[in-house]
Amino acid sequence: MAGEFLTDVKTLRERARKHIENGAVTENYKADREQVIKILNEALATEIVCVLRYKRHYYMATGIHAQAVAPEFLEHANEEQAHADLIATRIVQLGGEPNFAPQGLADRSHSEYVPGTDLIDMIKEDLVAERIAIDSYAEMIRFIGDTDPTTRRMLEGILAMEEEHADDLRNLIETLVPEEKK
Ligand SMILES: [Fe+2]
Ligand SMILES: [Fe+2]
């Protein structure tokens, strides 16, 4: 019978009244909350490191193509910052604390902070970092499965944007690097 699995209204209401200090996290929350907060903090560190790397690249971009590439670095930096904000917000909703501590930041992050030498080197390092982010977000999404749809949806949105970033960077390399030097 359709709808049989649904909890009756009375039980739903009673449950919601208990443990109201848990805010958005109800008894029905299916994921391992501590574990989700832990992986979200790793994602937060990854995003912060990406902001820092893109900012460095934005300010250090030189050469004849810098005018075309630097705005792309800045745009990515701002989008990574937006991801960090989404993730921090979700950590708090889940009753955790976002870890913004500079100590250990590079170790918590999945991607690396590489200053880069010239413009092409910077773009390549950014592409490597995006590919790491793509893999780790895909893994997080698989880990969460259907246990926490809100976190999952957020991660899927971020993943789609990291894929766009990687594609932008690949296009930049295509445009800037002559065929024989790739
Ligand atoms: Fe990001
Ligand atoms: Fe990205």
Side-chain angles (χ1 to χ4, degrees):
M1 201 176 85
E4 214 174 13
F5 64 95
L6 292 174
T7 309
D8 64 279
V9 177
K10 186 166 167 287
T11 312
L12 272 180
R13 286 178 182 167
E14 278 169 4
R15 250 197 240 153
R17 279 183 189 283
K18 275 190 273 174
H19 310 298
I20 51 169
E21 71 278 6
N22 290 341
V25 182
T26 66
E27 280 175 39
N28 231 335
Y29 185 74
K30 292 278 187 289
D32 178 344
R33 204 176 52 89
E34 296 295 326
Q35 192 62 27
V36 172
I37 290 167
K38 186 173 167 282
I39 62 170
L40 288 181
N41 263 318
E42 286 173 20
L44 177 62
T46 304
E47 294 293 349
I48 296 169
V49 166
C50 287
V51 172
L52 296 173
R53 197 194 52 256
Y54 274 124
K55 283 274 183 168
R56 155 84 186 193
H57 292 179
Y58 169 66
Y59 286 108
M60 290 300 284
T62 53
I64 49 165
H65 298 298
Q67 264 195 330
V69 177
E72 199 75 34
F73 288 158
L74 183 60
E75 193 185 297
H76 287 196
N78 292 336
E79 285 167 352
E80 310 302 12
Q81 180 63 61
H83 295 165
D85 292 333
L86 280 173
I87 293 165
T89 304
R90 185 58 185 157
I91 290 172
V92 174
Q93 279 178 356
L94 291 174
E97 293 179 13
N99 189 352
F100 282 97
Q103 296 93 332
L105 179 67
D107 295 325
R108 294 195 300 279
S109 166
H110 295 157
S111 60
E112 290 173 290
Y113 177 91
V114 182
T117 49
D118 56 23
L119 202 57
I120 296 299
D121 186 49
M122 290 177 195
I123 300 170
K124 282 184 177 167
E125 285 302 335
D126 290 330
L127 179 53
V128 170
E130 294 292 353
R131 288 170 60 83
I132 291 169
I134 289 168
D135 269 354
S136 67
Y137 279 119
E139 213 167 292
M140 289 179 208
I141 290 164
R142 274 197 298 275
F143 169 76
I144 287 176
D146 57 4
T147 60
D148 179 345
T150 307
T151 300
R152 185 195 163 110
R153 223 180 313 120
M154 176 191 75
L155 295 173
E156 284 171 344
I158 296 174
L159 172 62
M161 211 174 238
E162 308 306 5
E163 287 175 353
E164 268 179 48
H165 288 170
D167 199 46
D168 290 346
L169 296 165
R170 189 185 54 92
N171 284 331
L172 282 176
I173 294 172
E174 297 272 280
T175 324
L176 301 180
V177 182
E179 210 40 64
E180 69 275 12
K181 283 181 75 185
K182 262 179 226 161

